[in-house]
Amino acid sequence: MVAKDASLPNAAIVRDEARDLDHDRYLAALLAPAPARDALMTVAAFHGEIARIPTSVREPAMGAIRLHWWRDTLGGEKTAEATGSPVADRLRYAIESGALPIGDILSIVDAYETLLQPGALADAAALDAFLDASQGAAFRLSARILGVEEANARGIIGAAAQAYGRVQLLRALPLLLAKGHDPLAREPVQDWAPVVQPILARTRQSLGEVRRLMSVASLTLRTAILPVALVEPYLAALERLGSRIASEQAGISPLSRVWRIYFARRRGRL
């Protein structure tokens, strides 16, 4: 398990960013063993920072510049100077100390850049790869922090990334479209049902696979993928939107979110 490093400042800032930018992982981190919480909060804040870039810029070049800063800061030359970002400083320390692998961290940066490219995820294989490189990498980092052996986690993390990643991508779709980014289609879409329905169907299939594998997964591994407890209510919210799925963001109540995460952790099942 990756222990927190008390010498690094701004833990409260990182925790606040995790809460604001990736609330599901923030809640999961609160329920994790205390020595791992700071590191899990850092991963949540980082993933949230990167995931919001495509939904907050209209010009792809501007998004690429911001993502390049993260790529260069975390994967470039080592330096003792602070970056100005508490999240980046903590991640850089974890990379340089060997606590977290640079590969999965940069995978998240590279994956979210594809959302700036029209139709980049129109093919099923491209969508699968994106979800593994984004949500899958974030789950792998969480598992690493909690001390889970990678060989024991591969199957369930892969299924978790496909289930949780799909609902999060569809929840982000209205925000992406509002900024002029449509990674799911190469041509303008009049009817979203043929695009969305296969994604929803694969979500249910992947969630079933996660639940099957949960029966033989350790409690620690279940903690690493705890946000998957929210896939089912997100699915229900997305399905209720119907034709409005591309114009309104699906959400669930804050209380439902907390209770779903809490009971999944307590009972060890989704």
Side-chain angles (χ1 to χ4, degrees):
M1 181 181 295
V2 178
K4 63 182 180 180
D5 181 68
S7 66
L8 290 175
N10 299 322
I13 294 174
V14 173
R15 187 168 59 249
D16 288 346
E17 289 198 30
R19 181 195 62 210
D20 294 341
L21 300 177
D22 195 337
H23 198 70
D24 297 349
R25 284 191 171 84
Y26 165 79
L27 292 174
L30 288 177
L31 297 173
R37 284 178 198 156
D38 276 0
L40 290 171
M41 290 290 183
T42 301
V43 169
F46 168 66
H47 178 266
E49 285 266 16
I50 301 303
R52 76 167 174 172
I53 290 175
T55 65
S56 61
V57 298
R58 185 167 295 278
E59 293 297 328
M62 291 302 299
I65 289 170
R66 290 170 64 178
L67 290 166
H68 179 75
W69 181 89
W70 284 94
R71 196 179 289 115
D72 190 56
T73 297
L74 299 174
E77 291 185 13
K78 295 181 181 180
T79 173
E81 294 181 6
T83 66
S85 164
V87 175
D89 288 340
R90 283 176 171 262
L91 267 183
R92 196 167 62 177
Y93 175 85
I95 294 166
E96 292 176 0
S97 67
L100 292 178
I102 185 64
D104 278 331
I105 290 169
L106 293 185
S107 172
I108 293 171
V109 178
D110 294 341
Y112 280 102
E113 189 163 4
T114 65
L115 296 186
L116 299 169
Q117 304 165 16
L121 307 183
D123 298 327
L127 177 54
D128 288 353
F130 164 76
L131 297 173
D132 180 72
S134 55
Q135 298 288 352
F139 284 138
R140 287 190 292 272
L141 290 170
S142 295
R144 172 78 172 254
I145 289 166
L146 290 164
V148 176
E149 292 290 334
E150 184 176 351
N152 299 330
R154 193 171 297 118
I156 194 168
I157 283 180
Q162 297 303 319
Y164 184 73
R166 275 174 165 74
V167 294
Q168 291 302 331
L169 179 60
L170 290 179
R171 292 184 69 236
L173 183 60
L175 304 177
L176 290 166
L177 294 175
K179 293 297 184 182
H181 312 308
D182 182 1
L184 293 177
R186 297 187 178 92
E187 301 293 336
V189 177
Q190 302 300 323
D191 181 7
W192 278 95
V195 177
V196 168
Q197 289 307 317
I199 298 176
L200 294 175
R202 176 65 187 281
T203 302
R204 291 199 177 279
Q205 179 185 0
S206 297
L207 180 59
E209 181 70 1
V210 174
R211 285 172 168 162
R212 183 184 69 80
L213 294 171
M214 284 275 281
S215 63
V216 294
S218 67
L219 177 60
T220 305
L221 178 50
R222 295 174 196 175
T223 301
I225 62 164
L226 205 48
V228 182
L230 300 174
V231 168
E232 196 163 51
Y234 281 140
L235 262 175
L238 288 163
E239 290 169 343
R240 283 195 298 271
L241 286 175
S243 61
R244 294 173 288 127
I245 199 167
S247 58
E248 295 182 27
Q249 188 173 32
I252 56 178
S253 74
L255 185 59
S256 294
R257 185 184 279 187
V258 170
W259 280 111
R260 279 271 183 169
I261 290 274
Y262 172 75
F263 279 117
R265 175 71 170 87
R266 177 132 186 197
R267 296 171 178 170
R269 54 188 173 86
L270 302 177

